[in-house]
Amino acid sequence: MLHKFSFLLKVLLFVFVIQITAIQAQQKYSKRQIQKLKTAAIDMAQSHHKKTQVMIDKVFSFAELGHQEYETSKYLTGILESAGFEIEYGISGIPTAWMAKWKFGEGPVIALGSDVDGIPKASQYPGVAYHKPMVEGAPGHGEGHNSGLPVIITSAMVIQELMKENNLGGTLVVWPGIAEEQLAAKAWFVKDGYFDDVDMCIFTHVSSNMAVSWGDATGTGLISVEYMFEGVSAHSGSSPWRGKSALDAAELMNVGWNYKREHLHPLNRSHSIFTDAGDQPNVVPSKASIWYFLRDITSEGILDMYNDANNIAKGAALMTDTKVTSRILGAASPRHFNKVIAETMYENIKIVGLPEWSEKDQALAIAVQKEVNSKITTGLSTELAELGKPRKEPKSGGSDDIGEVSWKCPTVTLRFPSNMPGLQGHHWSNSITMATPIAHKGGTAGAKVVAATVIEFLTQPSLLAEAKDYFENVQKKNGKYVQLIPDDAPPPIHLNKAIQDEFRADLEKFYYDETKYDSYLEQLNINYPTLKLP
Ligand SMILES: [Zn+2]
C-alpha cells in the first residue's frame, strides 16, 4: 500500500514538473519586458563594480603563465562555488582547468568564457607609464587576460539573480581559457566533448574598444609543434668526430624552414624558438629541440605547412645522422563568429557605450603611447567601433583557440575596453592599465553587454534558433572543422612550470589583499597615474 502511494506521489510530482516546464517554455516575453530585464541587468552589473575591480586586481597580482594558473583557478572557482555553481576540476587532464555549471529549470545551455594566463617577462607596476617591473624577469599580464573572467563572472552573477527573480530557465556554464598563449587547452576541451551540449557561447577578450564581429575573423588558426632531435654526445675538444649533434639538426631545420619562408603565402605566418639547445660547448649536444607556431587562415593550409615542416625535420635528421620525433603542443582552428549573436550583442554595445574616462586615465594612456613610440597618441578610445563584418580580403594575424569552440556551437567574442590603442601586444606596456580604473571601468562595461545579451537569448527561443540556423546552414555549409590535434595527444601541461616555479615566491609577496586595501594601486602605494621617472 505504502509502495503504491509513493508511486502515485511520484506520478503526480512528474506531472507537476512537466507542467512547470511547459509553462516556462511557453512563456513569451514582450519587447517591453525584455527591455526591462536588460535595463535591470545593466544596472546590476554597475552595482557589482566593486566585485569586478577586486577580481581584476587579484588575478593581475597572481601573474601566472599558461598551465600554471593554480592561484587564479583556485580563487575564481571559489567565487563560483559560493554562488552555487557545480565545478568539475582538472578537466581534459589539465590540472588548472575546470568547468562550472549552474542549472535553473529548463532552457538553453549558455557557455561564458575567457582566458586567464599571462605573458613571460611582462611584470610591470600598474598605473606607471614607463617600464618598471614588479619582479624583474617575471611573468605579468601583458595581454590583459586578468580581466576576462572577472567580466564573465560578474555577468554570470547578474544573470543568475535575474533568472531566479523571473523564473527564467536555463543553464550557465562558466569556463576558463587555460594556456591561451600556447593555444593549448580549448582543442582538448572540444575533443573531450565539453561543448557537445552547449547551445551557444559568449567569449570575452580585452581590447581598446568595445566591439564584436561575425563571419571569418581577422587572423589565423595554427598548429603548435615541437621537433625533438636526438644524436650522440662526445667531447667537443678531444673527439668531436664521434659526436652526432642534435643541435646541428635543429639549426639545419631552422635554416631549411627559413628557405621555405620565401615561398610561403603572405597570409601564412610562422615563428619558432629553441626549447633545448644543448648544455655546454664542450659536450656535443645529444638532445636539441625547436618549437614552431605554423599559422594560416584555413585548416587545410595549416596542415600543408605542418607537412612541409615534417619533411624539413626529416631532412635535417638525415643530414646529421640524428633521429627526430615531434609532438603537437597546441592548435587553434581559424575563428568564425555567429552573425545573429554578434548583431544582437552590438545593439547592447550601443546601449552601454564606452566608459567615461577621467583626465587621469587619459593622461596615463597618452604617456604610455608616447613611451612606446606608438603612432596613436590620442589616449583611450572615445568612439565606439563599428560592428565587425566579414572582410572582402582575408587578413593574416594572430590566432585564438576560441576558434575551436566557434566550430562546435554558435560563438562570438566580445572585446571590451580595458586597455589603450596603439600598443604592440605581449609586452610590459600592455600590463600598465590592467589593474587601474581603466581596466575596472572597461570590465564593468563588458559585463553589462554580456548580461544584457544573455537575457535576450534566455527570453527569446526564436533568437537562439536563428543563431543555430546560421551556424548549421551558413557557417558549416561554407566551412568545415578539422581536428588539428591527434586523439591521443596529451595536453602539454609541462609548459611554463620551470619559469613559474622560479618566480612564484617573489610574486607571492605582491598578491593583492582586498581585505586590507581598497585597490591594488593602493596596496602598491602608486600615485595614479605616475607619468615620469622620479
Ligand atoms: Zn589573448
Side-chain angles (χ1 to χ4, degrees), residues 5-41:
F5 180 69
S6 102
F7 175 72
L8 242 169
L9 203 71
K10 272 185 191 158
V11 168
L12 271 173
L13 197 71
F14 181 67
V15 170
F16 179 65
V17 168
I18 289 283
Q19 271 187 339
I20 290 268
T21 313
I23 290 165
Q24 267 183 356
Q26 279 164 4
Q27 193 166 353
K28 280 232 162 100
Y29 291 84
S30 66
K31 274 205 166 132
R32 238 185 97 201
Q33 281 171 309
I34 297 168
Q35 203 49 52
K36 231 179 112 185
L37 283 168
K38 275 171 45 173
T39 307

CSV table of all heavy atoms in Angstrom, one decimal, residues 5-41:
chain,number,residue,atom,x,y,z
A,5,PHE,N,1.3,4.1,-2.8
A,5,PHE,CA,1.1,5.5,-2.5
A,5,PHE,C,2.3,6.4,-3.0
A,5,PHE,O,2.1,7.4,-3.7
A,5,PHE,CB,0.9,5.7,-1.0
A,5,PHE,CG,0.7,7.1,-0.6
A,5,PHE,CD1,-0.5,7.8,-1.0
A,5,PHE,CD2,1.7,7.8,0.1
A,5,PHE,CE1,-0.6,9.2,-0.7
A,5,PHE,CE2,1.5,9.1,0.4
A,5,PHE,CZ,0.4,9.8,0.1
A,6,SER,N,3.4,5.8,-2.7
A,6,SER,CA,4.6,6.6,-3.1
A,6,SER,C,4.8,6.6,-4.7
A,6,SER,O,5.2,7.6,-5.2
A,6,SER,CB,5.9,5.9,-2.5
A,6,SER,OG,6.6,5.2,-3.4
A,7,PHE,N,4.3,5.6,-5.3
A,7,PHE,CA,4.3,5.5,-6.8
A,7,PHE,C,3.4,6.7,-7.3
A,7,PHE,O,3.7,7.4,-8.2
A,7,PHE,CB,3.8,4.2,-7.3
A,7,PHE,CG,3.7,4.1,-8.8
A,7,PHE,CD1,4.8,4.1,-9.7
A,7,PHE,CD2,2.4,4.1,-9.4
A,7,PHE,CE1,4.7,4.1,-11.0
A,7,PHE,CE2,2.3,4.1,-10.8
A,7,PHE,CZ,3.4,4.1,-11.6
A,8,LEU,N,2.2,6.8,-6.7
A,8,LEU,CA,1.2,7.8,-7.1
A,8,LEU,C,1.8,9.2,-6.9
A,8,LEU,O,1.7,10.1,-7.8
A,8,LEU,CB,0.0,7.6,-6.2
A,8,LEU,CG,-1.3,7.3,-7.0
A,8,LEU,CD1,-2.4,6.9,-6.0
A,8,LEU,CD2,-1.8,8.4,-7.9
A,9,LEU,N,2.5,9.3,-5.8
A,9,LEU,CA,3.1,10.6,-5.5
A,9,LEU,C,4.1,11.0,-6.5
A,9,LEU,O,4.2,12.1,-7.0
A,9,LEU,CB,3.7,10.5,-4.1
A,9,LEU,CG,4.0,11.8,-3.4
A,9,LEU,CD1,2.6,12.4,-2.9
A,9,LEU,CD2,4.9,11.7,-2.2
A,10,LYS,N,4.9,10.0,-6.9
A,10,LYS,CA,5.9,10.2,-8.0
A,10,LYS,C,5.3,10.6,-9.3
A,10,LYS,O,5.7,11.5,-10.0
A,10,LYS,CB,6.7,8.9,-8.2
A,10,LYS,CG,7.9,8.8,-7.2
A,10,LYS,CD,8.8,7.6,-7.5
A,10,LYS,CE,9.8,7.4,-6.4
A,10,LYS,NZ,10.2,6.0,-6.4
A,11,VAL,N,4.1,10.0,-9.6
A,11,VAL,CA,3.4,10.3,-10.9
A,11,VAL,C,3.0,11.7,-10.8
A,11,VAL,O,3.1,12.5,-11.8
A,11,VAL,CB,2.3,9.3,-11.1
A,11,VAL,CG1,1.4,9.8,-12.3
A,11,VAL,CG2,2.8,7.9,-11.5
A,12,LEU,N,2.3,12.1,-9.7
A,12,LEU,CA,1.8,13.4,-9.5
A,12,LEU,C,2.9,14.5,-9.6
A,12,LEU,O,2.8,15.5,-10.3
A,12,LEU,CB,1.1,13.6,-8.1
A,12,LEU,CG,-0.3,13.2,-8.1
A,12,LEU,CD1,-0.9,13.2,-6.7
A,12,LEU,CD2,-1.2,14.1,-9.0
A,13,LEU,N,4.1,14.2,-9.0
A,13,LEU,CA,5.2,15.1,-9.0
A,13,LEU,C,5.7,15.2,-10.4
A,13,LEU,O,6.0,16.3,-10.9
A,13,LEU,CB,6.3,14.5,-8.1
A,13,LEU,CG,7.4,15.5,-7.7
A,13,LEU,CD1,6.8,16.5,-6.7
A,13,LEU,CD2,8.6,14.8,-7.1
A,14,PHE,N,5.7,14.1,-11.1
A,14,PHE,CA,6.2,14.1,-12.5
A,14,PHE,C,5.3,15.1,-13.4
A,14,PHE,O,5.8,15.9,-14.1
A,14,PHE,CB,6.2,12.7,-13.1
A,14,PHE,CG,6.7,12.6,-14.5
A,14,PHE,CD1,8.0,12.8,-14.8
A,14,PHE,CD2,5.8,12.2,-15.5
A,14,PHE,CE1,8.4,12.7,-16.1
A,14,PHE,CE2,6.2,12.1,-16.8
A,14,PHE,CZ,7.5,12.4,-17.1
A,15,VAL,N,4.0,14.9,-13.2
A,15,VAL,CA,3.1,15.7,-14.0
A,15,VAL,C,3.3,17.2,-13.7
A,15,VAL,O,3.3,18.1,-14.5
A,15,VAL,CB,1.6,15.3,-13.7
A,15,VAL,CG1,0.6,16.2,-14.3
A,15,VAL,CG2,1.4,13.9,-14.2
A,16,PHE,N,3.5,17.4,-12.4
A,16,PHE,CA,3.6,18.8,-11.9
A,16,PHE,C,4.9,19.4,-12.5
A,16,PHE,O,4.8,20.6,-13.1
A,16,PHE,CB,3.8,18.8,-10.4
A,16,PHE,CG,4.0,20.1,-9.7
A,16,PHE,CD1,3.0,21.1,-9.8
A,16,PHE,CD2,5.2,20.4,-9.1
A,16,PHE,CE1,3.3,22.3,-9.2
A,16,PHE,CE2,5.4,21.6,-8.5
A,16,PHE,CZ,4.4,22.6,-8.6
A,17,VAL,N,6.0,18.7,-12.5
A,17,VAL,CA,7.2,19.2,-13.1
A,17,VAL,C,7.1,19.4,-14.6
A,17,VAL,O,7.5,20.5,-15.1
A,17,VAL,CB,8.4,18.2,-12.9
A,17,VAL,CG1,9.6,18.5,-13.7
A,17,VAL,CG2,8.8,18.2,-11.4
A,18,ILE,N,6.4,18.5,-15.3
A,18,ILE,CA,6.2,18.7,-16.7
A,18,ILE,C,5.4,20.0,-17.0
A,18,ILE,O,5.7,20.7,-17.9
A,18,ILE,CB,5.4,17.4,-17.3
A,18,ILE,CG1,6.2,16.2,-17.3
A,18,ILE,CG2,4.8,17.7,-18.6
A,18,ILE,CD1,7.2,16.1,-18.4
A,19,GLN,N,4.4,20.2,-16.1
A,19,GLN,CA,3.6,21.4,-16.4
A,19,GLN,C,4.4,22.7,-16.1
A,19,GLN,O,4.3,23.6,-16.9
A,19,GLN,CB,2.4,21.4,-15.4
A,19,GLN,CG,1.2,20.6,-16.1
A,19,GLN,CD,0.0,20.7,-15.2
A,19,GLN,OE1,0.0,21.0,-14.0
A,19,GLN,NE2,-1.2,20.5,-15.8
A,20,ILE,N,5.2,22.7,-15.1
A,20,ILE,CA,6.0,23.8,-14.8
A,20,ILE,C,6.9,24.1,-16.0
A,20,ILE,O,7.1,25.2,-16.5
A,20,ILE,CB,6.9,23.6,-13.5
A,20,ILE,CG1,6.0,23.5,-12.3
A,20,ILE,CG2,8.0,24.6,-13.4
A,20,ILE,CD1,5.9,24.9,-11.6
A,21,THR,N,7.5,23.0,-16.5
A,21,THR,CA,8.5,23.1,-17.6
A,21,THR,C,7.7,23.7,-18.8
A,21,THR,O,8.3,24.6,-19.5
A,21,THR,CB,9.0,21.7,-17.9
A,21,THR,OG1,9.4,21.1,-16.7
A,21,THR,CG2,10.2,21.8,-18.9
A,22,ALA,N,6.5,23.2,-19.0
A,22,ALA,CA,5.8,23.6,-20.2
A,22,ALA,C,5.4,25.1,-20.0
A,22,ALA,O,5.6,25.9,-21.0
A,22,ALA,CB,4.5,22.8,-20.3
A,23,ILE,N,5.1,25.5,-18.8
A,23,ILE,CA,4.8,27.0,-18.6
A,23,ILE,C,6.0,27.8,-18.9
A,23,ILE,O,6.0,28.8,-19.6
A,23,ILE,CB,4.3,27.2,-17.2
A,23,ILE,CG1,2.9,26.6,-17.0
A,23,ILE,CG2,4.2,28.7,-16.8
A,23,ILE,CD1,2.5,26.4,-15.5
A,24,GLN,N,7.2,27.3,-18.4
A,24,GLN,CA,8.4,28.0,-18.6
A,24,GLN,C,8.7,28.2,-20.1
A,24,GLN,O,9.1,29.2,-20.6
A,24,GLN,CB,9.6,27.3,-18.0
A,24,GLN,CG,9.9,27.8,-16.6
A,24,GLN,CD,11.1,27.2,-16.0
A,24,GLN,OE1,11.6,26.3,-16.5
A,24,GLN,NE2,11.4,27.6,-14.8
A,25,ALA,N,8.5,27.0,-20.8
A,25,ALA,CA,8.8,27.0,-22.2
A,25,ALA,C,7.9,27.9,-23.0
A,25,ALA,O,8.3,28.5,-24.0
A,25,ALA,CB,8.8,25.6,-22.7
A,26,GLN,N,6.6,27.9,-22.6
A,26,GLN,CA,5.6,28.7,-23.3
A,26,GLN,C,5.7,30.2,-23.1
A,26,GLN,O,5.3,31.0,-23.9
A,26,GLN,CB,4.2,28.2,-22.9
A,26,GLN,CG,3.8,27.0,-23.6
A,26,GLN,CD,2.6,26.3,-23.0
A,26,GLN,OE1,2.0,26.9,-22.0
A,26,GLN,NE2,2.2,25.2,-23.4
A,27,GLN,N,6.2,30.6,-21.9
A,27,GLN,CA,6.2,32.0,-21.5
A,27,GLN,C,6.8,32.8,-22.6
A,27,GLN,O,8.0,32.6,-23.0
A,27,GLN,CB,7.0,32.1,-20.2
A,27,GLN,CG,6.7,33.5,-19.6
A,27,GLN,CD,7.2,33.5,-18.2
A,27,GLN,OE1,7.6,32.5,-17.6
A,27,GLN,NE2,7.1,34.7,-17.6
A,28,LYS,N,6.0,33.8,-23.1
A,28,LYS,CA,6.5,34.7,-24.1
A,28,LYS,C,6.8,36.1,-23.4
A,28,LYS,O,6.0,36.5,-22.6
A,28,LYS,CB,5.5,34.8,-25.2
A,28,LYS,CG,5.6,33.7,-26.2
A,28,LYS,CD,5.7,34.2,-27.6
A,28,LYS,CE,6.2,33.2,-28.6
A,28,LYS,NZ,5.2,32.6,-29.4
A,29,TYR,N,7.9,36.7,-23.8
A,29,TYR,CA,8.2,38.0,-23.2
A,29,TYR,C,7.9,39.0,-24.2
A,29,TYR,O,8.4,38.9,-25.4
A,29,TYR,CB,9.7,38.0,-22.7
A,29,TYR,CG,9.9,37.1,-21.6
A,29,TYR,CD1,10.1,35.7,-21.8
A,29,TYR,CD2,9.9,37.5,-20.3
A,29,TYR,CE1,10.3,34.8,-20.7
A,29,TYR,CE2,10.1,36.7,-19.2
A,29,TYR,CZ,10.3,35.3,-19.4
A,29,TYR,OH,10.5,34.5,-18.3
A,30,SER,N,7.3,40.1,-23.8
A,30,SER,CA,7.0,41.2,-24.7
A,30,SER,C,8.3,42.0,-24.8
A,30,SER,O,9.2,41.9,-24.0
A,30,SER,CB,5.9,42.1,-24.1
A,30,SER,OG,6.4,42.7,-22.9
A,31,LYS,N,8.4,42.8,-25.9
A,31,LYS,CA,9.6,43.7,-26.1
A,31,LYS,C,9.8,44.5,-24.8
A,31,LYS,O,11.0,44.7,-24.4
A,31,LYS,CB,9.4,44.6,-27.3
A,31,LYS,CG,9.7,43.9,-28.6
A,31,LYS,CD,10.1,44.9,-29.6
A,31,LYS,CE,10.8,44.2,-30.8
A,31,LYS,NZ,10.3,44.6,-32.1
A,32,ARG,N,8.8,45.0,-24.2
A,32,ARG,CA,8.9,45.9,-23.0
A,32,ARG,C,9.5,45.1,-21.9
A,32,ARG,O,10.3,45.6,-21.1
A,32,ARG,CB,7.5,46.4,-22.7
A,32,ARG,CG,7.5,47.9,-22.7
A,32,ARG,CD,6.2,48.5,-22.2
A,32,ARG,NE,6.3,48.9,-20.8
A,32,ARG,CZ,5.2,49.0,-20.0
A,32,ARG,NH1,4.0,48.8,-20.5
A,32,ARG,NH2,5.3,49.4,-18.8
A,33,GLN,N,9.0,43.8,-21.7
A,33,GLN,CA,9.5,43.0,-20.6
A,33,GLN,C,11.0,42.8,-20.8
A,33,GLN,O,11.8,42.8,-19.8
A,33,GLN,CB,8.8,41.7,-20.5
A,33,GLN,CG,7.4,41.8,-19.8
A,33,GLN,CD,6.6,40.5,-20.0
A,33,GLN,OE1,6.5,40.0,-21.1
A,33,GLN,NE2,6.1,40.0,-18.9
A,34,ILE,N,11.4,42.4,-22.0
A,34,ILE,CA,12.8,42.1,-22.3
A,34,ILE,C,13.6,43.4,-22.0
A,34,ILE,O,14.7,43.3,-21.4
A,34,ILE,CB,13.0,41.6,-23.7
A,34,ILE,CG1,12.3,40.3,-23.9
A,34,ILE,CG2,14.5,41.5,-24.1
A,34,ILE,CD1,12.1,39.9,-25.4
A,35,GLN,N,13.1,44.5,-22.5
A,35,GLN,CA,13.8,45.8,-22.2
A,35,GLN,C,14.0,46.0,-20.7
A,35,GLN,O,15.1,46.4,-20.3
A,35,GLN,CB,12.9,46.9,-22.9
A,35,GLN,CG,13.7,48.2,-23.2
A,35,GLN,CD,15.0,47.8,-24.0
A,35,GLN,OE1,14.9,47.1,-25.0
A,35,GLN,NE2,16.2,48.3,-23.5
A,36,LYS,N,13.0,45.8,-20.0
A,36,LYS,CA,13.1,46.0,-18.5
A,36,LYS,C,14.1,45.1,-17.9
A,36,LYS,O,14.9,45.5,-17.1
A,36,LYS,CB,11.7,45.6,-17.9
A,36,LYS,CG,11.2,46.7,-17.0
A,36,LYS,CD,9.8,46.4,-16.4
A,36,LYS,CE,9.9,46.1,-14.9
A,36,LYS,NZ,8.6,45.7,-14.4
A,37,LEU,N,14.1,43.8,-18.3
A,37,LEU,CA,15.1,42.9,-17.8
A,37,LEU,C,16.6,43.3,-18.2
A,37,LEU,O,17.5,43.2,-17.4
A,37,LEU,CB,14.9,41.4,-18.4
A,37,LEU,CG,13.7,40.7,-17.7
A,37,LEU,CD1,13.4,39.4,-18.5
A,37,LEU,CD2,14.1,40.3,-16.3
A,38,LYS,N,16.7,43.8,-19.4
A,38,LYS,CA,18.0,44.2,-19.9
A,38,LYS,C,18.5,45.4,-19.1
A,38,LYS,O,19.7,45.5,-18.7
A,38,LYS,CB,18.0,44.6,-21.4
A,38,LYS,CG,18.2,43.3,-22.2
A,38,LYS,CD,18.0,43.6,-23.7
A,38,LYS,CE,18.6,44.8,-24.2
A,38,LYS,NZ,18.4,44.9,-25.7
A,39,THR,N,17.6,46.3,-18.8
A,39,THR,CA,17.9,47.5,-18.0
A,39,THR,C,18.4,47.1,-16.6
A,39,THR,O,19.3,47.6,-16.1
A,39,THR,CB,16.7,48.5,-17.9
A,39,THR,OG1,16.3,48.8,-19.3
A,39,THR,CG2,17.1,49.8,-17.3
A,40,ALA,N,17.6,46.1,-16.1
A,40,ALA,CA,17.9,45.6,-14.7
A,40,ALA,C,19.3,45.0,-14.8
A,40,ALA,O,20.1,45.2,-13.9
A,40,ALA,CB,16.9,44.6,-14.3
A,41,ALA,N,19.6,44.2,-15.8
A,41,ALA,CA,20.9,43.5,-16.0
A,41,ALA,C,22.1,44.6,-16.0
A,41,ALA,O,23.1,44.4,-15.3
A,41,ALA,CB,21.0,42.7,-17.2
